[in-house]
Coordinates of all heavy atoms in Angstrom, one line a residue:
M5 N 0.8 -1.2 0.0 CA 0.0 0.1 0.0 C 0.9 1.3 0.0 O 1.9 1.3 0.7 CB -0.9 0.0 1.3 CG -1.9 -1.1 1.3 SD -3.5 -0.6 0.5 CE -4.4 -0.4 2.1
R6 N 0.5 2.3 -0.8 CA 1.2 3.5 -0.9 C 0.4 4.6 -0.6 O -0.8 4.7 -1.2 CB 1.9 3.6 -2.2 CG 2.9 4.8 -2.2 CD 3.5 4.9 -3.6 NE 4.5 3.8 -3.8 CZ 5.8 4.0 -3.4 NH1 6.2 5.1 -2.9 NH2 6.7 3.1 -3.6
C7 N 0.7 5.4 0.4 CA -0.1 6.6 0.7 C 0.0 7.6 -0.4 O 1.0 7.6 -1.2 CB 0.4 7.2 2.0 SG -0.4 8.7 2.6
R8 N -0.9 8.6 -0.4 CA -0.9 9.6 -1.5 C 0.5 10.5 -1.4 O 0.8 11.1 -2.3 CB -2.1 10.5 -1.4 CG -2.1 11.2 0.1 CD -3.3 12.1 0.1 NE -3.2 13.2 -0.8 CZ -2.4 14.2 -0.7 NH1 -1.5 14.3 0.4 NH2 -2.2 15.2 -1.5
C9 N 1.1 10.5 -0.1 CA 2.3 11.3 -0.1 C 3.5 10.6 -0.4 O 4.6 11.2 -0.4 CB 2.4 11.8 1.4 SG 2.8 10.6 2.6
G10 N 3.3 9.3 -0.8 CA 4.5 8.6 -1.3 C 5.0 7.6 -0.3 O 6.0 6.8 -0.5
T11 N 4.6 7.8 1.0 CA 5.1 6.9 2.0 C 4.6 5.5 1.8 O 3.4 5.2 1.5 CB 4.5 7.3 3.4 OG1 5.0 8.7 3.6 CG2 5.0 6.3 4.5
H12 N 5.5 4.6 1.8 CA 5.1 3.1 1.6 C 4.7 2.5 2.9 O 5.4 2.6 3.9 CB 6.2 2.3 1.0 CG 5.9 0.9 0.7 ND1 5.1 0.6 -0.3 CD2 6.3 -0.2 1.4 CE1 5.0 -0.7 -0.3 NE2 5.6 -1.2 0.6
V13 N 3.5 2.1 3.0 CA 3.0 1.4 4.1 C 3.1 -0.1 3.9 O 2.4 -0.6 3.0 CB 1.6 1.7 4.4 CG1 1.1 1.1 5.8 CG2 1.4 3.3 4.5
P14 N 4.0 -0.8 4.7 CA 4.1 -2.2 4.6 C 2.8 -3.0 4.9 O 2.0 -2.5 5.6 CB 5.2 -2.5 5.7 CG 5.2 -1.5 6.6 CD 4.7 -0.2 5.8
A15 N 2.7 -4.1 4.3 CA 1.5 -5.0 4.5 C 1.4 -5.3 6.0 O 2.3 -5.6 6.7 CB 1.6 -6.4 3.7
G16 N 0.1 -5.0 6.5 CA -0.1 -5.2 8.0 C 0.4 -4.0 8.8 O 0.3 -3.9 10.0
G17 N 1.0 -2.9 8.1 CA 1.4 -1.7 8.7 C 0.3 -0.8 9.1 O -0.9 -1.2 8.8
E18 N 0.6 0.2 9.8 CA -0.6 1.1 10.3 C -1.0 2.0 9.1 O -0.2 2.9 8.7 CB 0.0 2.0 11.4 CG -1.1 2.4 12.3 CD -0.6 3.2 13.4 OE1 0.3 2.6 14.2 OE2 -1.1 4.2 13.8
V19 N -2.2 1.8 8.7 CA -2.8 2.7 7.8 C -4.2 3.3 8.4 O -4.8 2.6 9.2 CB -3.2 2.0 6.3 CG1 -1.9 1.8 5.7 CG2 -4.0 0.8 6.6
I20 N -4.5 4.4 7.9 CA -5.8 5.0 8.3 C -6.9 4.6 7.2 O -6.6 5.0 6.1 CB -5.6 6.5 8.5 CG1 -4.6 6.7 9.7 CG2 -7.0 7.1 8.9 CD1 -4.4 8.1 10.0
E21 N -7.9 3.9 7.7 CA -8.9 3.7 6.8 C -10.1 4.5 7.2 O -10.5 4.6 8.4 CB -9.3 2.2 6.9 CG -8.3 1.3 6.1 CD -8.6 -0.2 6.3 OE1 -9.7 -0.5 5.8 OE2 -7.9 -0.9 7.0
I22 N -10.8 5.1 6.3 CA -11.9 5.9 6.4 C -13.1 5.0 6.4 O -13.4 4.4 5.3 CB -12.1 7.0 5.5 CG1 -10.8 7.8 5.2 CG2 -13.2 8.0 5.9 CD1 -10.3 8.7 6.4
T23 N -13.8 4.8 7.5 CA -15.0 3.9 7.5 C -16.2 4.7 7.7 O -16.2 5.9 8.1 CB -14.9 2.8 8.6 OG1 -14.7 3.6 9.8 CG2 -13.7 2.0 8.4
G24 N -17.3 4.2 7.3 CA -18.6 4.8 7.5 C -18.7 6.0 6.5 O -19.5 7.0 6.8
L25 N -18.1 5.9 5.4 CA -18.3 7.0 4.4 C -19.7 6.9 3.8 O -20.3 5.9 3.5 CB -17.3 6.7 3.3 CG -15.9 7.2 3.4 CD1 -15.1 6.7 2.2 CD2 -15.7 8.7 3.6
P26 N -20.3 8.1 3.6 CA -21.5 8.1 2.8 C -21.3 7.6 1.4 O -20.1 7.7 0.9 CB -22.0 9.6 2.8 CG -20.8 10.3 3.2 CD -19.9 9.4 4.0
K27 N -22.3 7.1 0.8 CA -22.2 6.5 -0.6 C -21.5 7.4 -1.6 O -20.7 7.1 -2.4 CB -23.6 6.2 -1.2 CG -24.1 4.8 -0.9 CD -23.7 3.9 -2.1 CE -24.0 2.4 -1.8 NZ -22.9 1.8 -0.9
S28 N -21.9 8.7 -1.5 CA -21.3 9.8 -2.4 C -19.8 9.9 -2.3 O -19.2 10.3 -3.3 CB -21.9 11.1 -2.0 OG -21.6 11.5 -0.7
L29 N -19.2 9.5 -1.2 CA -17.8 9.6 -1.0 C -17.1 8.4 -1.3 O -15.8 8.3 -1.4 CB -17.5 10.2 0.4 CG -18.0 11.6 0.7 CD1 -17.5 12.1 2.1 CD2 -17.5 12.6 -0.3
E30 N -17.7 7.2 -1.4 CA -17.1 5.9 -1.6 C -16.3 6.0 -3.0 O -15.2 5.5 -3.0 CB -18.2 4.9 -1.7 CG -18.4 4.4 -0.2 CD -19.6 3.3 -0.2 OE1 -19.9 2.8 -1.3 OE2 -20.0 2.9 0.9
D31 N -16.8 6.6 -3.9 CA -16.2 6.7 -5.3 C -14.9 7.6 -5.1 O -14.0 7.3 -5.8 CB -17.1 7.2 -6.3 CG -18.1 6.2 -6.8 OD1 -18.0 5.0 -6.5 OD2 -19.1 6.6 -7.4
V32 N -15.0 8.6 -4.4 CA -13.9 9.6 -4.2 C -12.7 8.9 -3.6 O -11.6 9.0 -4.0 CB -14.4 10.8 -3.4 CG1 -13.2 11.8 -3.3 CG2 -15.6 11.5 -4.1
F33 N -13.0 8.1 -2.5 CA -12.0 7.6 -1.7 C -11.5 6.3 -2.3 O -10.3 6.0 -2.2 CB -12.4 7.4 -0.3 CG -12.3 8.7 0.5 CD1 -13.2 9.7 0.4 CD2 -11.1 8.9 1.2 CE1 -13.1 10.9 1.1 CE2 -11.0 10.2 1.9 CZ -12.0 11.0 1.9
G34 N -12.4 5.4 -2.9 CA -11.9 4.2 -3.4 C -11.2 3.4 -2.5 O -11.6 3.2 -1.4
D35 N -10.0 2.9 -3.0 CA -9.2 2.0 -2.1 C -7.9 2.7 -1.6 O -6.9 2.2 -1.3 CB -8.8 0.8 -2.9 CG -10.0 -0.1 -3.2 OD1 -10.9 -0.2 -2.3 OD2 -9.9 -0.7 -4.3
I36 N -8.0 4.0 -1.5 CA -6.8 4.8 -1.1 C -6.5 4.5 0.4 O -7.4 4.5 1.3 CB -7.1 6.4 -1.3 CG1 -7.5 6.5 -2.7 CG2 -5.8 7.0 -0.9 CD1 -7.9 7.9 -3.0
A37 N -5.2 4.4 0.7 CA -4.7 4.2 2.1 C -4.1 5.5 2.4 O -3.4 6.3 1.7 CB -3.7 3.1 2.1
F38 N -4.1 5.8 3.7 CA -3.5 7.0 4.3 C -2.5 6.6 5.4 O -2.8 5.8 6.2 CB -4.5 8.1 4.7 CG -5.4 8.5 3.7 CD1 -6.7 8.0 3.5 CD2 -5.1 9.5 2.8 CE1 -7.6 8.3 2.6 CE2 -5.9 9.9 1.7 CZ -7.2 9.4 1.7
C39 N -1.4 7.3 5.5 CA -0.3 7.0 6.5 C -0.6 7.8 7.8 O -0.1 7.5 8.8 CB 1.0 7.1 6.0 SG 1.6 8.8 5.8
S40 N -1.3 8.9 7.7 CA -1.5 9.9 8.8 C -2.8 10.6 8.5 O -3.2 10.9 7.4 CB -0.4 10.7 9.1 OG -0.4 11.7 8.1
P41 N -3.4 11.2 9.7 CA -4.6 12.0 9.5 C -4.3 13.2 8.6 O -5.2 13.8 7.9 CB -5.0 12.4 10.9 CG -4.4 11.4 11.8 CD -3.2 10.9 11.1
K42 N -3.1 13.7 8.6 CA -2.6 14.8 7.9 C -2.9 14.5 6.3 O -3.3 15.4 5.6 CB -1.2 15.1 8.0 CG -0.8 16.2 9.1 CD 0.5 16.5 8.9 CE 1.0 17.3 10.3 NZ 2.5 17.4 10.4
C43 N -2.6 13.3 6.0 CA -2.7 12.9 4.5 C -4.2 12.9 4.3 O -4.6 13.2 3.1 CB -2.0 11.7 4.3 SG -0.2 11.9 4.3
V44 N -5.0 12.3 5.2 CA -6.5 12.3 4.9 C -6.9 13.8 4.7 O -7.7 14.0 3.7 CB -7.2 11.7 6.1 CG1 -8.7 11.6 5.8 CG2 -6.6 10.3 6.5
R45 N -6.5 14.7 5.5 CA -6.9 15.9 5.4 C -6.4 16.6 4.1 O -7.3 17.3 3.3 CB -6.4 16.8 6.6 CG -6.9 18.3 6.6 CD -6.8 18.8 8.0 NE -7.2 20.2 7.9 CZ -6.5 21.2 7.8 NH1 -5.1 21.0 7.6 NH2 -6.8 22.5 7.8
A46 N -5.2 16.4 3.8 CA -4.8 16.9 2.5 C -5.5 16.5 1.2 O -5.9 17.2 0.4 CB -3.2 16.6 2.3
F47 N -5.9 15.2 1.3 CA -6.6 14.5 0.2 C -8.1 15.1 0.2 O -8.5 15.5 -0.9 CB -6.7 13.0 0.5 CG -7.6 12.4 -0.6 CD1 -6.9 12.1 -1.8 CD2 -8.9 12.0 -0.4 CE1 -7.8 11.4 -2.8 CE2 -9.6 11.4 -1.3 CZ -9.1 11.1 -2.6
C48 N -8.6 15.4 1.3 CA -10.0 16.0 1.3 C -9.9 17.4 0.7 O -10.8 17.7 -0.1 CB -10.4 16.1 2.8 SG -10.9 14.5 3.6
L49 N -8.9 18.2 1.2 CA -8.9 19.5 0.6 C -8.6 19.5 -0.9 O -9.2 20.3 -1.5 CB -7.7 20.2 1.3 CG -8.0 20.5 2.9 CD1 -6.8 21.1 3.6 CD2 -9.3 21.4 3.1
E50 N -7.8 18.6 -1.4 CA -7.5 18.6 -2.8 C -8.8 18.1 -3.5 O -9.2 18.9 -4.6 CB -6.4 17.5 -3.1 CG -5.1 18.0 -3.2 CD -4.1 16.9 -3.3 OE1 -4.4 15.8 -3.9 OE2 -2.9 17.0 -2.9
S51 N -9.5 17.2 -3.0 CA -10.8 16.7 -3.7 C -11.8 17.9 -3.6 O -12.5 18.1 -4.6 CB -11.3 15.5 -3.0 OG -10.3 14.4 -3.0
L52 N -11.9 18.6 -2.5 CA -12.8 19.7 -2.4 C -12.4 20.7 -3.6 O -13.5 21.2 -4.2 CB -12.7 20.3 -1.1 CG -13.6 19.8 0.1 CD1 -13.3 20.5 1.4 CD2 -14.9 19.9 -0.3
E53 N -11.3 21.0 -3.7 CA -10.9 22.1 -4.7 C -11.4 21.6 -6.1 O -11.9 22.3 -6.9 CB -9.4 22.3 -4.7 CG -9.0 23.5 -4.0 CD -7.5 23.7 -4.1 OE1 -6.8 23.5 -5.0 OE2 -6.9 24.0 -2.9
T54 N -11.0 20.3 -6.4 CA -11.4 19.7 -7.7 C -12.9 19.7 -7.9 O -13.4 20.1 -8.9 CB -10.9 18.3 -7.8 OG1 -9.5 18.3 -7.5 CG2 -11.0 17.7 -9.2
L55 N -13.7 19.2 -6.9 CA -15.1 19.2 -7.1 C -15.7 20.5 -7.1 O -16.7 20.7 -7.8 CB -15.7 18.4 -5.9 CG -15.3 16.9 -5.9 CD1 -15.6 16.2 -4.5 CD2 -16.2 16.2 -7.0
D56 N -15.1 21.5 -6.4 CA -15.7 22.9 -6.4 C -15.7 23.4 -7.8 O -16.6 24.2 -8.2 CB -14.7 23.7 -5.5 CG -15.6 24.3 -4.3 OD1 -16.8 24.0 -4.2 OD2 -14.9 24.9 -3.5
S57 N -14.7 23.1 -8.6 CA -14.5 23.6 -9.9 C -15.4 23.0 -10.9 O -15.7 23.4 -12.0 CB -13.1 23.6 -10.4 OG -12.7 22.2 -10.5
I58 N -16.0 21.8 -10.6 CA -16.9 21.1 -11.4 C -18.3 21.8 -11.5 O -18.9 21.9 -12.5 CB -17.0 19.6 -11.1 CG1 -15.6 18.9 -11.2 CG2 -18.0 19.0 -12.0 CD1 -15.6 17.5 -10.8
D59 N -18.7 22.0 -10.2 CA -19.9 22.9 -10.0 C -21.2 22.2 -10.8 O -21.8 22.9 -11.5 CB -19.8 24.3 -10.4 CG -20.9 25.1 -9.8 OD1 -21.5 24.8 -8.8 OD2 -21.2 26.2 -10.4
T60 N -21.5 20.9 -10.5 CA -22.7 20.4 -11.0 C -23.5 20.1 -9.7 O -22.9 20.0 -8.6 CB -22.5 19.1 -11.8 OG1 -21.9 18.1 -10.9 CG2 -21.6 19.3 -13.1
P61 N -24.8 19.7 -9.9 CA -25.6 19.4 -8.6 C -25.0 18.1 -8.0 O -25.0 18.1 -6.8 CB -27.0 19.1 -9.3 CG -27.0 19.9 -10.5 CD -25.6 20.0 -11.0
H62 N -24.6 17.2 -8.8 CA -24.0 16.0 -8.3 C -22.7 16.4 -7.5 O -22.5 15.9 -6.3 CB -23.6 15.1 -9.4 CG -23.0 13.7 -9.0 ND1 -23.6 12.9 -8.2 CD2 -21.8 13.3 -9.1 CE1 -22.8 11.8 -8.0 NE2 -21.7 12.0 -8.5
A63 N -21.9 17.1 -8.0 CA -20.6 17.5 -7.5 C -20.8 18.3 -6.2 O -20.1 18.0 -5.1 CB -19.7 18.3 -8.4
R64 N -21.9 19.2 -6.1 CA -22.1 20.0 -5.1 C -22.6 19.1 -3.8 O -22.2 19.4 -2.8 CB -23.2 21.0 -5.3 CG -22.7 22.2 -6.1 CD -23.6 23.4 -5.9 NE -24.8 23.2 -6.7 CZ -24.9 23.6 -8.0 NH1 -23.9 24.2 -8.6 NH2 -26.0 23.4 -8.7
G65 N -23.4 18.0 -4.1 CA -23.7 17.1 -3.1 C -22.5 16.4 -2.4 O -22.4 16.3 -1.2
I66 N -21.5 16.0 -3.3 CA -20.4 15.4 -2.7 C -19.5 16.4 -1.9 O -18.9 16.1 -0.9 CB -19.5 14.9 -4.0 CG1 -20.3 13.8 -4.7 CG2 -18.2 14.3 -3.5 CD1 -19.6 13.3 -5.9
V67 N -19.5 17.7 -2.5 CA -18.7 18.7 -1.8 C -19.2 18.9 -0.4 O -18.4 18.9 0.6 CB -18.8 20.0 -2.6 CG1 -18.2 21.2 -1.7 CG2 -17.9 20.0 -3.8
S68 N -20.6 18.9 -0.1 CA -21.1 19.1 1.2 C -20.8 18.0 2.1 O -20.5 18.1 3.3 CB -22.5 19.5 1.1 OG -23.3 18.4 1.3
D69 N -20.9 16.7 1.6 CA -20.4 15.5 2.4 C -19.0 15.5 2.7 O -18.5 15.2 3.8 CB -20.8 14.2 1.7 CG -22.3 14.0 1.6 OD1 -23.0 14.5 2.5 OD2 -22.8 13.2 0.8
L70 N -18.2 15.9 1.7 CA -16.7 15.9 1.8 C -16.4 17.0 2.8 O -15.4 16.8 3.6 CB -16.1 16.1 0.5 CG -14.5 15.9 0.4 CD1 -14.2 14.6 1.0 CD2 -14.1 16.0 -1.1
H71 N -17.0 18.1 2.7 CA -16.8 19.2 3.7 C -16.9 18.8 5.1 O -16.1 19.0 6.0 CB -17.6 20.4 3.4 CG -17.2 21.7 4.0 ND1 -16.0 22.3 3.5 CD2 -17.6 22.3 5.0 CE1 -15.9 23.4 4.3 NE2 -16.8 23.3 5.2
E72 N -18.0 18.1 5.3 CA -18.3 17.5 6.7 C -17.3 16.7 7.2 O -16.8 16.7 8.4 CB -19.6 16.8 6.6 CG -20.6 17.3 7.8 CD -22.0 16.7 7.4 OE1 -22.2 15.5 7.8 OE2 -22.8 17.4 6.8
L73 N -16.8 15.7 6.2 CA -15.8 14.7 6.6 C -14.5 15.5 6.9 O -13.8 15.1 7.9 CB -15.6 13.7 5.5 CG -14.6 12.7 5.7 CD1 -15.0 11.7 6.7 CD2 -14.1 12.0 4.4
T74 N -14.2 16.6 6.1 CA -12.9 17.2 6.3 C -12.9 17.9 7.7 O -11.9 17.9 8.4 CB -12.8 18.3 5.3 OG1 -12.9 17.7 4.0 CG2 -11.5 19.0 5.3
M75 N -14.0 18.5 8.1 CA -14.2 19.1 9.4 C -13.8 18.0 10.5 O -13.3 18.3 11.5 CB -15.6 19.6 9.6 CG -15.8 20.8 8.7 SD -14.6 22.1 8.7 CE -15.2 22.9 10.2
E76 N -14.5 16.8 10.3 CA -14.2 15.7 11.3 C -12.9 15.4 11.4 O -12.3 15.2 12.5 CB -15.1 14.5 10.9 CG -16.5 14.6 11.5 CD -17.4 13.4 10.8 OE1 -16.7 12.3 10.7 OE2 -18.5 13.6 10.5
V77 N -12.2 15.3 10.2 CA -10.8 14.9 10.2 C -9.9 16.0 10.9 O -9.0 15.6 11.7 CB -10.3 14.6 8.8 CG1 -8.8 14.4 8.7 CG2 -11.0 13.4 8.2
A78 N -10.3 17.2 10.6 CA -9.5 18.3 11.2 C -9.7 18.3 12.7 O -8.7 18.5 13.4 CB -10.1 19.7 10.6
T79 N -10.8 18.0 13.2 CA -11.0 17.9 14.7 C -10.2 16.7 15.3 O -9.6 16.9 16.3 CB -12.6 17.7 14.9 OG1 -13.3 18.6 14.2 CG2 -12.8 17.8 16.5
T80 N -10.2 15.6 14.6 CA -9.3 14.5 15.0 C -7.9 14.8 15.1 O -7.2 14.5 16.1 CB -9.6 13.2 14.0 OG1 -11.0 13.0 13.8 CG2 -8.9 12.1 14.6
L81 N -7.4 15.6 14.0 CA -6.0 16.0 13.9 C -5.7 16.9 15.2 O -4.7 16.7 15.8 CB -5.9 16.8 12.7 CG -5.0 16.3 11.6 CD1 -4.7 17.4 10.5 CD2 -3.6 15.8 12.2
V82 N -6.6 17.9 15.4 CA -6.4 18.7 16.5 C -6.2 18.0 17.9 O -5.5 18.2 18.6 CB -7.5 19.8 16.6 CG1 -7.4 20.5 17.9 CG2 -7.5 20.8 15.5
S83 N -7.1 16.9 18.0 CA -7.1 16.2 19.3 C -5.8 15.4 19.4 O -5.4 15.1 20.4 CB -8.4 15.4 19.4 OG -8.4 14.3 18.5
I84 N -5.4 14.9 18.2 CA -4.1 14.1 18.2 C -2.9 15.1 18.5 O -2.0 14.9 19.4 CB -3.8 13.4 16.9 CG1 -4.8 12.3 16.7 CG2 -2.5 12.8 16.9 CD1 -4.8 11.7 15.3
L85 N -2.8 16.2 17.7 CA -1.7 17.0 17.9 C -1.7 17.8 19.1 O -0.7 18.2 19.7 CB -1.6 18.0 16.7 CG -1.4 17.3 15.3 CD1 -1.5 18.3 14.1 CD2 -0.1 16.7 15.2
G86 N -2.9 18.2 19.6 CA -3.0 19.1 20.7 C -2.9 18.3 22.0 O -2.8 18.8 23.0
G87 N -3.0 16.9 21.8 CA -2.8 16.0 23.0 C -3.8 16.4 24.1 O -3.5 16.2 25.3
Ligands
ZN24 ZN1 0.9 9.9 3.8

């Protein structure tokens, strides 16, 4: 498994899997693995930018779900980093 940042995660290594995704986001995330919450957040923000520029009703639905997820991830990050 390789994280989006290029970090190689060995089989059985620690990866962050996003569970409980709404249907709209399953396609966006697919089988991507993340090595840290930071990478999840970066991916969310990148996807938000991409989807924002598409501006269709379908994309707008995904954006609102993704925005919510990004906020959740940001909160998780803060609780990890802020200890
Ligand atoms: Zn990473």
